[in-house]
Structure formats: C-alpha cells, structure tokens
Amino acid sequence: MADESMSSGPIATANRGTPFALYGAILVAIGIAAFLFGAVLGVVRLIVGNPAWLLNVNEAIIWYSAAPVVFGFVCIAADVFFTVGAKRTRKKVRFDAFASDQVTAVLTAYNDELSIYQAVRDFTASPHVKRVVVVSNNSIDSTEAEAARAGAIVFNEMKPGYGACVVRALSEGCRFDDTELVLLCEGDMTFRAADIPKFLAYAPHADIVNGTRIVEQLQEAATQISTFIHYGNFVVAKLLEMKYLGESTLSDVGTTYKLCRKGPLLELLPHLDSDVNLEFNPHLLEQAIRRGLAVVECPITFHPRVGTSKGGNVSNTVAMKVGLRMIVGIALGWNRIK
C-alpha cells in the first residue's frame, strides 16, 4: 500500500480560493450581457421611432455596462498577480506511487435494467478491476437483479437523489482493504472500462482523477451531450476553476467517472452533502479542492447511453436549469440550491 499519511495529507491544508477572480468573472459576464442587451435595445428603439426617453435609457445602459467589466477585470487581475502568482512559485509535480493498480469499481444506477448487465461485465472483464459494486437508487425495474446476475455486489440506496447514490457508492467502495483506489462510474454504458489505464496513468499525480468528456475526438455521435450542453458544461467548469485559480484545471464538472484514492476520499466523505442532487459533481470537486486535495483531469471517451436518459442531460432545457443551479452553488453556496 502507498503511505496513507502521504495520500491524505493534502486535506489538512485548507484552500481559501480566489474569490476576487470568481466574482470578477461574474461581473465581466454581467457587463457584457448588459452591453448586448443595450445593443438589442438600440435596434428596438429605432424600430419604435427613437423616442427621447428610450434613447436616454439606451445610452445609459451602453455607457454603464463598462463599469462591471472594468471592475471585474481589476478583481481578476488582483487574484492572478497576488494569490495565483504566489502559488505558482511553490508548485511541484507530485508523484505518489500506489502498490497495486487494482480498483474497486462502484457504479450508480437508476432504472438501468437495459444497460447494467453490460456495464458490469465490461468492468469485471478489465484486468484492473478487483470487484464491481452497484448501488441502485430505488430502481423499480430489474436493475438490481441484472447487476447481481452479471456478478456485481449490489446495494440499494433508499434516499432518493443522485448525490445520495454517489455518496453511498463511494462509501461502499471504501470498505474493502485490498484496494486503495475507488473508481466511480455509472451503469448506463456511456463510460467504458477501457479508459481505466488512462486514469491509472494520472493517479500518481492526484487524489482524485476526474474524467473529462470535453474532447471532441473522444465523443461519439448520438450521445446526450448536445452542443449547448458541451459548451455550457465547459463554462461552468471554468467558473469553478476561477474560484480556485492555481489549484486545478477544469473543463468538465458534469461527469461521474472518477478515480479516487481511498485515504483522502474517507476524509472527504463527511464533507459531502448528499442532499445536493444533479449538481453533485461540481459540489464534490469543490469540496475536494477546497480541502487541499489534488484534482487532475483525464480525457475519457463518451458513448451513447443504453436506455433512457434520466439525469441532467435529458434536454437542453433541463441542462440549463441544472447548469444555473450549479452556478448558484459555486457562487453563493450549495445550501442555496437544496
């Protein structure tokens, strides 16, 4: 086993983050949105005959939209030059080897009877997987029976919600003493065990290796990741990155697929709020980064789902609502969205 104190040590160093950069970015976005609104209003003003009162309003919006942009960039610059600059002078490339490349794979599932058998068999066939645990979240179909038939250890999490299911899955994955790595995934066949070697290649540098689907060449056609969801996810990821500049590079905050070291994960679990639902992944990443864990991204493949999508990617409308709630959680706190 790797030195457990080495693996869990970073959690003791709390990360205060870069709040000026975060709120500066939000101010810049507000200023740009106000300017664009003013531009559209200008067209409307001309159509309705250019009344004097509307001209005054229009000019005020255009002129004053520059204020949040300028102030926002000043805030960002303050954190970049002072906080991030100091962090970069202390950077080191971490390499914490682990004794075994065997993982306990934990799959979340909700009414996934059409896919869970294939998913479990896919992971059990990997030479890196010691066992597969499936946590069903009150499935009303034959998900549990199919998972057991495929050879998985099966649990049912009674508390509804994606966050509750993930917390239960991670907790169950930590119960085994013969693996120090816990691989979190879903049972809908959107992710594949073939990506495990990629996770293992990044694992010596991190406490959590977060899969990222934001690589065009690694996305198959006909997945639930629309163009809107693809770039919206990227924007939300960058907003979370702005909150902790110099700590982690993020491009995907919506993926379940992660590899975690058990020591740091055990210390992180009490800080995860299982009441957070579809917004849980950025919540998990923020809690990890905030507590000093090393989070590194790994490019992964993404495939069409087997069965019906039931999460935040059902449609662009649902994804937009989830994305806005993620932004509120990042900017104002996760208690605001429960």
Side-chain angles (χ1 to χ4, degrees):
M1 287 284 181
D3 185 351
E4 202 67 15
S5 62
M6 178 182 293
S7 297
S8 59
I11 297 180
T13 305
N15 186 344
R16 71 179 183 85
T18 48
F20 287 109
L22 169 67
Y23 295 112
I26 293 174
L27 284 173
V28 170
I30 291 172
I32 293 173
F35 178 83
L36 293 175
F37 174 74
V40 173
L41 184 61
V43 175
V44 174
R45 171 173 56 81
L46 294 176
I47 292 174
V48 299
N50 199 22
W53 69 270
L54 190 54
L55 174 62
N56 293 333
V57 171
N58 197 182
E59 289 180 342
I61 292 174
I62 294 295
W63 279 104
Y64 289 111
S65 65
V69 173
V70 172
F71 187 63
F73 276 120
V74 170
C75 291
I76 294 171
D79 259 337
V80 168
F81 288 109
F82 294 102
T83 306
V84 179
K87 288 180 181 180
R88 292 181 66 84
T89 63
R90 301 189 297 267
K91 286 202 310 180
K92 292 183 179 180
V93 176
R94 168 181 170 177
F95 195 95
D96 291 345
F98 38 87
S100 172
D101 64 359
Q102 293 287 287
V103 308
T104 291
V106 292
L107 310 182
T108 61
Y110 175 63
N111 291 340
D112 286 324
E113 65 178 359
L114 297 179
S115 60
I116 194 64
Y117 181 89
Q118 300 174 64
V120 172
R121 298 302 296 172
D122 180 44
F123 280 92
T124 55
S126 170
H128 302 290
V129 175
K130 185 78 172 179
R131 65 183 58 82
V132 176
V133 175
V134 171
V135 176
S136 169
N137 193 206
N138 292 314
S139 297
I140 58 175
D141 60 6
S142 59
T143 293
E144 293 179 47
E146 286 295 298
R149 185 170 72 89
I153 303 169
V154 182
F155 297 94
N156 183 50
E157 172 54 44
M158 297 297 293
K159 182 177 179 180
Y162 175 73
C165 192
V166 170
V167 169
R168 176 69 182 277
L170 291 173
S171 300
E172 296 297 342
C174 289
R175 296 184 185 277
F176 301 95
D177 295 330
D178 56 355
T179 52
E180 61 177 307
L181 299 172
V182 178
L183 184 75
L184 174 67
C185 195
E186 296 180 25
D188 59 7
M189 290 298 291
T190 52
F191 304 111
R192 302 295 165 84
D195 283 319
I196 294 176
K198 298 179 190 175
F199 282 102
L200 293 172
Y202 284 88
H205 308 299
D207 296 305
I208 296 176
V209 182
N210 186 58
T212 175
R213 304 160 295 176
I214 309 301
V215 179
E216 292 286 0
Q217 295 84 350
L218 301 183
Q219 284 185 16
E220 282 195 15
T223 70
Q224 62 263 45
I225 299 292
S226 65
T227 301
F228 174 79
I229 294 173
H230 178 102
Y231 289 105
N233 178 28
F234 182 81
V235 169
V236 176
K238 288 304 174 186
L239 187 65
L240 179 56
E241 182 179 332
M242 291 294 288
K243 191 173 183 178
Y244 297 96
L245 278 179
E247 296 297 331
S248 186
T249 301
L250 301 173
S251 62
D252 187 349
V253 292
T255 179
T256 301
Y257 210 177
K258 298 172 177 63
L259 182 68
C260 309
R261 288 180 181 262
K262 187 169 70 173
L265 180 58
L266 284 169
E267 296 193 36
L268 177 64
L269 277 169
H271 302 285
L272 299 180
D273 190 342
S274 62
D275 290 332
V276 179
N277 191 15
L278 297 176
E279 310 80 16
F280 186 81
N281 281 311
H283 164 68
L284 183 154
L285 293 174
E286 176 170 6
Q287 296 308 311
I289 296 169
R290 181 181 179 185
R291 285 165 175 79
L293 270 69
V295 176
V296 175
E297 283 197 330
C298 167
I300 56 174
T301 57
F302 194 62
H303 306 266
R305 179 190 175 96
V306 175
T308 305
S309 181
K310 300 171 282 292
N313 298 329
V314 172
S315 67
N316 288 340
T317 301
V318 173
M320 183 173 67
K321 292 178 181 178
V322 173
L324 289 173
R325 289 170 62 83
M326 287 179 177
I327 291 171
V328 171
I330 292 168
L332 302 178
W334 298 100
N335 286 331
R336 299 293 183 94
I337 65 169
K338 294 193 298 181

